[in-house]
Amino acid sequence: MDFMKEALMEARKALMLDEVPVGAIIVKDNKIISRAHNLRETLNSPLAHAEVLAIKDASEKLNSWRLTGCKLYVTLEPCIMCAGAIAQARISEVYIGTIDPAAGACGSILNILQNDNLNLHTKTHWLYNEECSQLLKDFFKWKRK
Amino acid sequence: MDFMKEALMEARKALMLDEVPVGAIIVKDNKIISRAHNLRETLNSPLAHAEVLAIKDASEKLNSWRLTGCKLYVTLEPCIMCAGAIAQARISEVYIGTIDPAAGACGSILNILQNDNLNLHTKTHWLYNEECSQLLKDFFKWKRK
């Protein structure tokens, strides 16, 4: 199963709601246990990024704040809040579809998950996907009109 | 009104639940609009830090993801996730009761809110309060027994 494709399906759901199109999937034992998309405007919440919503749902499903052994697939490089949430949740691996040069905290403006001062447990993988970035480019182009 | 004292009252509520004793208050126009304490174990959620819960509640009350003009008082230096959430919420000022040398992201291991690469809107103030740190010291001493 192509999990980034599934994350992209979530990003498209955000787009339909006129939200910045970002989607996330959490996978455990090769099965999707949660899926979410950015809902900041819809929920009027600064916390409602795709990753945070996916983590919330996965924790509820597993009845644990520790998501050890879980993999998160996200279409856009996580921001500081989301990278921090990924670290708090002890997610084992993160797969990222495209960079966020303005606010990405997994290599762009900061590299939260590879900080030697923190005892972190998360490996970062880049799974560059043209569609992840095209979706965002189209969205912002359309918004500027 | 001594808002750090109010945040401390929240921290004590966390302590009674055997949670790491951290409390947070959000103030707008000199009035408390939300109050919360750490509930990570109780809610089994990696997101349930005092600051995140206070931000969630304040956003719901104001019906806005923008908490511009709000001040957050927190008994312990925010972690990366919480500092990121404070930035996402556009909180104007943060008052911190004690440092977290192991995970604090407002000067200890990182300084998220004073990052020149980000267009941030939050001023950090230190309001050192002996009780904020003593509560944590006592908690961890008791836990080690």
Side-chain angles (χ1 to χ4, degrees):
Chain A
M1 194 177 209
D2 182 341
F3 293 122
M4 192 55 82
K5 221 171 200 169
E6 297 293 319
L8 258 167
M9 276 177 59
E10 287 298 314
R12 274 186 224 109
K13 289 183 199 166
L15 188 72
M16 309 260 258
L17 296 166
D18 199 26
E19 298 271 5
V20 177
V22 182
I25 295 286
I26 295 180
V27 172
K28 189 167 190 182
D29 301 330
N30 226 31
K31 277 184 199 127
I32 296 176
I33 60 165
S34 75
R35 46 193 319 146
H37 50 277
N38 176 33
L39 285 173
R40 186 175 70 165
E41 306 295 334
T42 307
L43 297 182
N44 242 330
S45 169
L47 310 164
H49 286 193
E51 302 93 312
V52 166
L53 297 174
I55 288 170
K56 183 175 185 291
D57 192 34
S59 289
E60 284 170 7
K61 285 215 177 109
L62 299 179
N63 201 28
S64 170
W65 63 261
R66 284 180 195 83
L67 301 183
T68 317
C70 289
K71 298 177 184 185
L72 182 141
Y73 290 76
V74 58
T75 57
L76 179 66
E77 184 181 357
C79 72
I80 294 170
M81 170 179 74
C82 290
I86 288 164
Q88 286 294 337
R90 313 283 196 269
I91 285 176
S92 298
E93 301 188 54
V94 175
Y95 295 83
I96 306 171
T98 194
I99 65 161
D100 181 353
C106 298
S108 290
I109 55 152
L110 281 170
N111 201 338
I112 297 297
L113 300 174
Q114 279 166 42
N115 185 317
D116 290 339
N117 292 324
L118 289 166
N119 183 17
L120 295 180
H121 313 263
T122 310
K123 273 189 201 167
T124 307
H125 308 274
W126 290 89
L127 268 187
Y128 289 106
N129 181 307
E130 183 53 32
E131 220 175 326
C132 291
S133 67
Q134 198 57 50
L135 207 56
L136 286 155
K137 275 180 207 162
D138 292 347
F139 174 76
F140 287 111
K141 201 170 166 183
W142 181 78
K143 287 303 260 186
R144 276 191 296 268
K145 271 186 195 168
Chain B
M1 194 175 207
D2 182 342
F3 294 122
M4 191 56 83
K5 220 171 199 170
E6 298 293 319
L8 258 167
M9 277 178 59
E10 287 299 312
R12 276 187 222 108
K13 290 184 199 166
L15 188 72
M16 309 262 258
L17 296 166
D18 200 24
E19 299 272 3
V20 178
V22 182
I25 297 284
I26 295 179
V27 172
K28 189 166 189 183
D29 300 330
N30 226 31
K31 279 186 198 125
I32 297 176
I33 59 165
S34 75
R35 42 194 321 146
H37 49 277
N38 176 33
L39 286 173
R40 185 175 71 166
E41 306 295 335
T42 308
L43 297 182
N44 242 330
S45 168
L47 310 166
H49 286 194
E51 301 94 312
V52 167
L53 296 175
I55 287 170
K56 183 175 184 292
D57 192 32
S59 289
E60 285 169 6
K61 284 214 179 110
L62 299 179
N63 200 28
S64 172
W65 62 261
R66 284 180 195 86
L67 301 184
T68 317
C70 289
K71 299 177 183 185
L72 183 139
Y73 290 76
V74 59
T75 58
L76 179 66
E77 184 182 355
C79 72
I80 295 170
M81 171 180 74
C82 290
I86 288 163
Q88 287 293 337
R90 313 282 195 270
I91 286 177
S92 298
E93 302 189 53
V94 175
Y95 294 83
I96 307 172
T98 193
I99 64 161
D100 181 352
C106 298
S108 290
I109 57 154
L110 281 170
N111 201 340
I112 296 300
L113 300 175
Q114 280 166 42
N115 186 316
D116 290 338
N117 292 325
L118 289 165
N119 184 16
L120 295 180
H121 314 263
T122 311
K123 272 190 200 165
T124 307
H125 307 274
W126 290 88
L127 268 188
Y128 290 107
N129 181 308
E130 184 53 32
E131 221 176 323
C132 291
S133 68
Q134 198 57 49
L135 206 60
L136 286 155
K137 276 180 205 160
D138 292 347
F139 174 77
F140 287 113
K141 203 169 165 184
W142 181 78
K143 288 304 262 186
R144 276 191 296 269
K145 272 187 192 166

